[in-house]
Amino acid sequence: MIVLFRNIVLATCCFSLLAAGDTLAQSKKKKTKATQETPTVILPATQPNEQEQQYSEALFLDGMKYFIVEDYSEALKIFKKAHTFNPNNAALNYKIGETNLLLKNPKEAVSYAQSAVAQDPANTYYYLLLAQAHAEQKQFTEAAQVYNNLIQKVPDSDQYLFNLADLYLAQGNYPDAIKTYDRIEKKFGPMEQLSVNRQQIYLRQKNIDKALQEGEKLIASNPTEVRYFLSQAELYNAAQKTDIAIQTLNKALRLEPGNPYAHLMLSDLNRQKGNTVESEKQVKLAFANPELDIDTKVRILVDFIRQLPNPAIEGVALELAELTVASHPEEAKAYAVAGDMQAIANKKEKARNNYLKAIKLDDSHFKIWQQIVLLDAELSQTDSLVVHSEQALELFPNQAIFWFYNGTGHLIEKNYKKAVNALERGKRLSSQETELVKQFNMQLGDGYNSLKEYKKSDEAYEAVLALDANNEHVLNNYSYFLSLRNEKLDKAKQMASQLVKRHPNNPTYLDTYAWVLYKMEDYQGAKTYLEQAIAVSDDATIVEHYGDVLYKLGKQDEAVKQWEKAKVKGEASAFIEQKIKEKKLYE
């Protein structure tokens, strides 16, 4: 980095600086106004008389007052006025150049800095200002020449070789940068940073062999610095010298047993060699170490997640996730990434529980809450679904998806009023999302039916069918509920038959169609479809329906046997006991 060196001129030394700059005899001439585009041309002038010199000094002091309070525009005006009376004063030229630089006018600064250097070639600060003015314009070659002049003409200025090297780097002049580092080393002796810088240059030049040589120098001069061994191992790997890279890493581990970054690199190198067992061993050692930062672990785990599902890596991926949680028990992201991994691996309960631990530490992540309620639903834990969706809604009340899960949970729990209230609110929030509105209407159809608000139920179902005429959930439930109500049986039959044609072996759809036929008093047709359903399912409702049909067909004893089977299986109707006891059909 090129640093601007300011010369803070105190008022007490202004007069001596001004006097020291009077070296050339010049006549006083009025200057033309400088612009951003054209540097000021400083014309020769005669040496100022005493009155002019005093007036220039007074103006300079006035200008310094504005400069100190950072009113650089006003300071520049006054400095330039002082300059008209005493143009060959090096300090005044320096100050005008510095002020121009502060006003983002480096082109104008160059002219004054050049004058200052010409008038006082032994002043370090004048060179630094000139170099900075060139560098601000990306004139790195010119700036480098200024530093060379400085080092050549001003005694004890070799420290600016570092600035010179930076300039060569800025212009991509790597050979001269290397030469300058050699000059620095010759002057100040070996330095760790010089080897690092040279190594970086060789890497930019893709000269791996030279970079390795510098790396060996660094290790030789810093034999206890593990980081140099790690860097060198990376270089050996880049040079396809895998075995030497492994040897270098083992040296690092002898210096610092358990270094997680060494273990990570060893894992990668062994994987490259096809040594899967050793690769997994090394990566586990790295993950067990809390010194390996959580973000690095998460990045690696995300790479594993992208490769799942994959039985070959699933085991080690899950183990690494557990190690991450164990070594970072206070990090929400550790539990979150473990949950992601387990969810993909179908470890749903473990995943849900890790997500819950994540939100205890940080409850601000919408996606984690979404995963929690989704897994509650997939696990059929509706009590948890209700609780967690309500907690999510406290944080994200305008997220329709949580209203959907909350309404669905209440619907399953038979809290129908709460269910439709939640579903209606979510539906309003998702009015612009057609697919989500459809999902809400599907659930609302079921909810309103349970509340016996049949008109609203039918409207919700019809809204779904208008968008998706083959929606299986609606075709089944809508037709079944109509049959239970003995309403629109022709419509119910059409919807149920549509399902059976598409899914001839689905017992639920066969039962629904049979029940519609039953309601239409087509008992033989109902029997046919119920027998097909029983052949693939022993669901209590289907068995009980079959008994009802047999009863209608005059087969009382066979009907009772089916009712008894339904009772044993459980979840039959409320009339099952009475049917069996009285051997009579009740609906």
Side-chain angles (χ1 to χ4, degrees), residues 54-278:
Q54 289 176 352
Y55 189 48
S56 178
E57 292 170 354
L59 287 170
F60 181 83
L61 288 174
D62 285 340
M64 281 302 299
K65 293 175 185 176
Y66 289 100
F67 186 91
I68 289 168
V69 297
E70 300 183 3
D71 185 351
Y72 301 124
S73 296
E74 190 62 31
L76 183 60
K77 291 178 186 177
I78 299 173
F79 287 152
K80 281 189 172 183
K81 191 173 181 180
H83 186 272
T84 62
F85 293 99
N86 195 1
N88 285 322
N89 183 281
L92 182 54
N93 278 290
Y94 169 78
K95 209 65 189 174
I96 296 174
E98 182 185 20
T99 308
N100 269 299
L101 200 58
L102 290 167
L103 289 170
K104 310 298 183 187
N105 188 5
K107 187 178 290 188
E108 188 78 4
V110 165
S111 296
Y112 288 99
Q114 285 173 336
S115 292
V117 169
Q119 292 152 10
D120 186 358
N123 190 308
T124 300
Y125 293 113
Y126 299 171
Y127 290 97
L128 295 178
L129 176 64
L130 180 56
Q132 180 68 16
H134 281 306
E136 289 285 334
Q137 299 175 80
K138 301 191 184 303
Q139 296 170 348
F140 300 123
T141 301
E142 291 84 348
Q145 185 57 52
V146 172
Y147 277 111
N148 274 313
N149 292 340
L150 165 62
I151 295 162
Q152 181 183 358
K153 295 180 180 180
V154 179
D156 300 320
S157 57
D158 294 303
Q159 67 267 33
Y160 296 111
L161 284 167
F162 292 97
N163 302 65
L164 180 60
D166 288 344
L167 279 170
Y168 286 136
L169 284 177
Q171 58 186 302
N173 185 348
Y174 299 136
D176 281 339
I178 292 288
K179 289 177 184 176
T180 305
Y181 289 138
D182 292 342
R183 289 172 66 187
I184 293 171
E185 195 165 67
K186 185 176 180 181
K187 177 67 179 179
F188 298 103
M191 291 185 184
E192 182 178 338
Q193 191 59 44
L194 293 181
S195 288
V196 171
N197 291 354
R198 274 193 290 247
Q199 188 179 58
Q200 291 301 312
I201 289 174
Y202 291 136
L203 288 173
R204 291 179 191 177
Q205 294 176 320
K206 302 189 186 312
N207 190 337
I208 300 296
D209 289 338
K210 283 280 191 180
L212 282 168
Q213 289 175 18
E214 289 297 331
E216 290 300 335
K217 288 181 186 177
L218 283 167
I219 289 173
S221 58
N222 302 276
T224 61
E225 280 287 351
V226 171
R227 59 195 171 106
Y228 291 133
F229 287 88
L230 299 182
S231 297
Q232 192 72 345
E234 286 185 359
L235 289 177
Y236 279 125
N237 185 38
Q240 298 182 336
K241 298 179 180 180
T242 307
D243 291 336
I244 302 177
I246 290 174
Q247 292 171 14
T248 305
L249 289 169
N250 285 327
K251 291 178 183 176
L253 286 171
R254 284 196 289 273
L255 287 171
E256 190 178 311
N259 183 287
Y261 300 98
H263 286 303
L264 269 186
M265 292 175 66
L266 281 170
S267 174
D268 188 50
L269 291 169
N270 278 285
R271 180 186 56 77
Q272 291 177 35
K273 295 186 69 175
N275 191 346
T276 304
V277 173
E278 184 64 19

Side-chain angles (χ1 to χ4, degrees), residues 485-529:
R485 288 153 46 189
N486 282 316
E487 293 179 10
K488 305 177 186 176
L489 293 177
D490 288 338
K491 181 177 181 63
K493 181 180 179 181
Q494 178 270 321
M495 290 190 290
S497 65
Q498 184 178 336
L499 273 178
V500 169
K501 285 176 184 175
R502 295 180 62 200
H503 304 281
N505 297 315
N506 186 297
T508 299
Y509 300 159
L510 289 166
D511 176 61
T512 296
Y513 186 50
W515 199 246
V516 173
L517 294 176
Y518 174 88
K519 288 291 186 173
M520 299 179 80
E521 299 183 0
D522 180 0
Y523 303 123
Q524 192 59 50
K527 177 175 177 292
T528 299
Y529 284 98

Side-chain angles (χ1 to χ4, degrees), residues 530-548:
L530 281 169
E531 285 174 346
Q532 293 177 36
I534 287 174
V536 292
S537 173
D538 59 355
D539 179 82
T541 300
I542 296 174
V543 173
E544 184 178 359
H545 283 171
Y546 185 47
D548 293 352

